[in-house]
């Protein structure tokens, strides 16, 4: 058994919370925990299911089939780009589902993970972070499906596809900024658990997932761009199959989300210190 | 102990305050789970923390493991701690034993390669065998506990914080666990453990802290503390303040069960009632009682602090045929031979039974007495576990130089 020398590691607990930089250092030290928790989630998710990962494929495809039927077959959506409605809607849905997974699971992660966090120490922000990793697995599968769909529809990606990881990162940041705030607030105010479905279910209609921004009157267009997810969804489309033009209006959402995330982390850390006595 | 280099855990003036809602006023009132707790743990030590329910034992471990912050005071830990506050945390019933071993090992801070290295040994220790690839929900509760415990004792950390996790499994597995803990300690690991199980504390702790209502009542050698704890009479954590499980003499004297005790106690040869005597002195136990109904008998028993019966005897064994004593008043004297007991605390109990040997009433710990022993140095007494001094025939041969 290799033992560390006593000076190597020194922990100190007082009533003072860690400084912000020390906290980030701890999160870095415990980064392996993100993967461990995500692996655990994934294993549990598919334990004793016959179809296993197939469910991750079936779910978005059913969603697509339903929306295709309504917005293309029953009510023809105007101003749909050349790629066809299926590719258009599915690329939006892919981004949105990633966001909604992080918001749903992340905001609930402190409560659902309390069995563990009451007994094992790790920076609690690891919990929502691990949900991002789980969501990313679903996202990857969804993106593969999208590629297949594009191949079938004969839609060719351009060079911009290389920028996709950047937009995925923005997507995760937006989701995480909401999840971090909600999870920290949910500790004291359980009411917020009921707000999450609203954000996810109504939010999709305030984001151009099923409709192009061009059908929205110009006067209201700015309103759409207040929503950081608009930039993300449009960005996905731009880098996947060259939809419309790259605009810096994407950046607005990113900056907003980034500021929210930093403020959220500060708030989260403040709550975390006494979290275990309150939860 | 004074070697400051060797201190791995230092706790200074620890307070932990919670708020509870006051039933009458509805206001939140502060409530101290810990008050001014200080102690140090040296490398390689096994420190036991004992106390009644609600004395703050588990709160100490929660603070040591960083789960909850102290309200006042400082905790310093030098080394990598692993805290096991619950035997099965993180073990998920739906996934296999193998996957659980890896996940839990990693949750407790091990790397995957480190789990690889101990995996075979761990599975062998747990005795789970072929079931390692079966979902844990199909395990028997014994298998589950054995697997969970195996993970703990194969952890690689230099400070183990254990909360009530040793009292698991059957007797033979428990013995292996204790042996394994001793093994880990020999290799330089430090253990802080919270336990209700006095057997475990006696067996593996080198030092014990007794907590009461959030304060340190005493710190000392395990023998001292464990005996001290029992001296207070009320070991049962569920008892409220002022209550005691030592029966009152009045209660024993009741005639409800067909007998009446007039006098019961420990006396010296001059018939003075005593509670303490030197092992070399001769003393006697006196029982003066009246049998009101023909079918009632009484017996006396001497037990140690763990309530293990050491001696029992009843006049019915000497006097009667058919386990029957006739009604009337009796005086029974038992003489305790000299040099019978080792130093320690013991209890005398009283037991009533009928002539079919069915138990009517049990009074443990009616009389408490302490034996002192000048013939054995104090530091040896600390390590003495046996109740009796028995002169075995011992031969010593030196076979080689």
């Amino acid at each position: 058994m290799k033992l560390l020398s006593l000076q190597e590691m020194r922990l100190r607990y007082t009533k003072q919370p860690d400084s912000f930089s020390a906290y980030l250092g701890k999160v870095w030290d415990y980064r392996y925990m993100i993967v461990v928790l995500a692996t655990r989630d994934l294993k549990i998710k598919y334990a004793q299911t016959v179809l296993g990962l197939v469910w991750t494929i079936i779910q978005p495809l059913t969603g697509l089939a339903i929306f295709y039927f309504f917005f293309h077959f029953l009510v023809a959506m105007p101003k749909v780009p050349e790629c066809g409605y299926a590719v258009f809607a599915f690329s939006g849905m892919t981004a949105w589902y990633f966001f909604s997974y992080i918001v749903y699971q992340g905001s609930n992660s402190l409560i659902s993970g309390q069995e563990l966090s009451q007994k094992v120490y790790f920076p609690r922000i690891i919990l929502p972070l691990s949900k991002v990793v789980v969501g990313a697995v679903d996202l990857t599968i969804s993106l593969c499906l999208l590629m297949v769909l594009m191949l079938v529809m004969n839609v060719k990606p351009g060079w911009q596809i290389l920028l996709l990881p950047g937009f995925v990162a923005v997507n995760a940041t937006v989701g995480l900024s909401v999840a971090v705030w909600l999870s920290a607030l949910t500790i004291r105010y359980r009411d917020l658990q009921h707000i999450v479905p609203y954000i996810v279910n109504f939010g999709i209609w305030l984001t151009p997932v099923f409709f192009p921004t061009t059908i929205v009157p110009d006067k209201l267009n700015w309103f759409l761009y207040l929503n950081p997810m608009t930039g993300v969804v449009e960005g996905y489309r731009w880098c996947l199959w060259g939809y419309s033009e790259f605009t810096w209006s994407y950046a607005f959402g990113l900056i907003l989300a980034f500021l929210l995330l930093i403020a959220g982390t500060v708030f989260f850390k403040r709550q975390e210190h006494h979290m275990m006595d309150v939860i | 102990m004074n070697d400051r280099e060797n201190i791995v855990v230092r706790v200074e003036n620890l307070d932990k305050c919670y708020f509870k809602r006051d039933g009458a006023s509805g206001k939140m009132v502060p409530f101290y789970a810990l008050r001014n707790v200080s102690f140090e743990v040296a490398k390689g030590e096994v420190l036991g923390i004992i106390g009644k329910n609600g004395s703050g034992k588990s709160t100490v471990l929660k603070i040591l493991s960083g789960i909850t912050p102290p309200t006042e005071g400082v905790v310093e830990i030098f080394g990598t701690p692993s805290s096991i506050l619950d035997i099965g945390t993180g073990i998920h019933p739906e996934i296999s034993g193998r996957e659980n071993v890896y996940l839990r090992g990693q949750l407790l801070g091990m790397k995957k390669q480190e789990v690889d290295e101990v995996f075979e040994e761990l599975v062998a220790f747990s005795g789970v065998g072929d079931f390692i690839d079966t979902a844990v929900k199909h395990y028997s509760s014994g298998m589950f506990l054995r697997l969970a415990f195996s993970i703990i004792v194969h952890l690689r950390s230099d400070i183990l914080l254990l909360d009530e996790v040793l009292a698991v499994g059957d007797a033979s597995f428990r013995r292996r666990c204790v042996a394994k803990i001793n093994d880990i300690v020999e290799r330089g690991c430090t253990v802080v453990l919270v336990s209700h199980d006095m057997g475990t504390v006696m067996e593996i702790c080198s030092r014990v802290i007794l907590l009461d209502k959030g304060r340190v009542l005493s710190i000392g050698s395990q023998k001292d503390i464990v005996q001290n704890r029992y001296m207070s009479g009320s070991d049962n954590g569920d008892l409220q303040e002022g209550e005691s499980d030592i029966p009152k003499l009045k209660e024993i004297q009741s005639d409800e069960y067909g007998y009446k005790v007039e006098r019961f106690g420990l006396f010296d040869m001059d018939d003075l009632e005593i509670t303490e005597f030197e092992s070399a002195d001769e003393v006697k136990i006196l029982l003066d009682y009246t049998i009101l109904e023909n079918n009632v008998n009484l017996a006396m028993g001497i037990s140690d602090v763990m309530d293990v019966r050491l001696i029992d005897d009843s006049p019915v064994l000497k006097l009667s045929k058919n386990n029957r004593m006739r009604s009337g008043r009796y005086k029974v004297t038992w003489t305790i031979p000299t040099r019978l007991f080792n130093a320690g605390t013991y209890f005398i109990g009283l037991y009533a039974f009928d002539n079919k040997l069915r138990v009517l009433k049990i009074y443990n710990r009616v009389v408490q007495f302490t034996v002192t022993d000048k013939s054995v140095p104090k530091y040896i007494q600390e390590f003495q576990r046996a109740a009796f001094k028995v002169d075995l025939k011992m031969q010593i041969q030196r076979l080689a130089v």
Side-chain angles (χ1 to χ4, degrees), chain B residues 249-267:
Chain B
L249 199 59
K250 214 164 76 187
E251 196 186 327
I252 300 173
Q253 285 171 328
S254 89
D255 52 10
E256 191 186 338
Y257 293 95
Y259 61 89
K260 202 165 178 301
V261 176
E262 311 292 344
R263 239 158 54 122
F264 182 50
L266 185 70
F267 296 86

Side-chain angles (χ1 to χ4, degrees), chain A residues 216-253:
Chain A
V216 178
D218 284 347
K219 274 187 285 182
L220 293 176
N221 222 308
W222 63 271
F223 180 72
L224 217 50
Y225 279 92
L226 277 184
N227 172 3
M229 276 309 287
T230 302
V232 173
V233 166
E234 297 278 275
Y236 266 62
R237 288 179 179 142
W238 173 71
C239 49
L240 282 167
W241 40 270
Y243 175 61
S244 113
E245 291 292 312
F246 177 87
T247 76
W248 285 107
S249 55
Y250 300 162
F252 171 75

Side-chain angles (χ1 to χ4, degrees), chain A residues 110-183:
Chain A
L110 288 179
I111 291 170
S112 64
Q114 58 175 308
E115 169 247 347
L116 202 61
S117 52
Q118 291 273 17
K119 306 289 182 185
V120 184
Y121 174 77
F122 51 89
R124 307 306 176 201
I125 205 161
I126 297 280
L127 284 167
L129 279 170
S130 76
K131 301 296 178 187
V132 177
V133 177
V134 181
V137 173
D138 288 358
L139 174 77
T140 311
I141 292 165
S142 227
L143 282 172
C144 291
L145 281 178
L146 182 59
M147 295 298 169
V148 174
L149 193 66
M150 281 163 64
L151 212 70
V152 172
M153 304 296 288
N154 202 19
V155 180
K156 291 197 178 60
W159 62 269
Q160 309 98 304
I161 197 161
L162 296 174
L163 293 175
L164 185 65
F167 281 95
V168 171
V170 179
N171 196 354
T173 309
V174 177
L176 202 57
S177 62
V178 179
V180 165
W181 272 103
L182 285 178
S183 58

Side-chain angles (χ1 to χ4, degrees), chain B residues 123-134:
Chain B
V123 174
F125 185 83
S126 73
V128 170
D130 297 343
F131 285 89
I132 193 69
D133 288 309
T134 308

Side-chain angles (χ1 to χ4, degrees), chain A residues 9-11 13 15 273 277, chain B residues 16 68 72 75-77 79:
Chain A
M9 183 144 177
R10 180 166 169 271
L11 295 168
Y13 304 118
K15 64 174 172 178
H273 195 55
D277 299 340
Chain B
K16 179 70 189 177
T68 188
E72 285 297 335
V75 172
E76 282 181 310
I77 294 173

Side-chain angles (χ1 to χ4, degrees), chain B residues 1-19:
Chain B
M1 276 310 301
N2 293 324
D3 189 0
R4 302 196 66 81
E5 290 291 296
N6 262 338
I7 299 295
V8 289
V9 178
R10 176 180 299 133
V11 174
E12 257 175 49
N13 306 327
L14 208 62
D15 277 4
K16 179 70 189 177
C17 178
Y18 288 106
F19 287 87

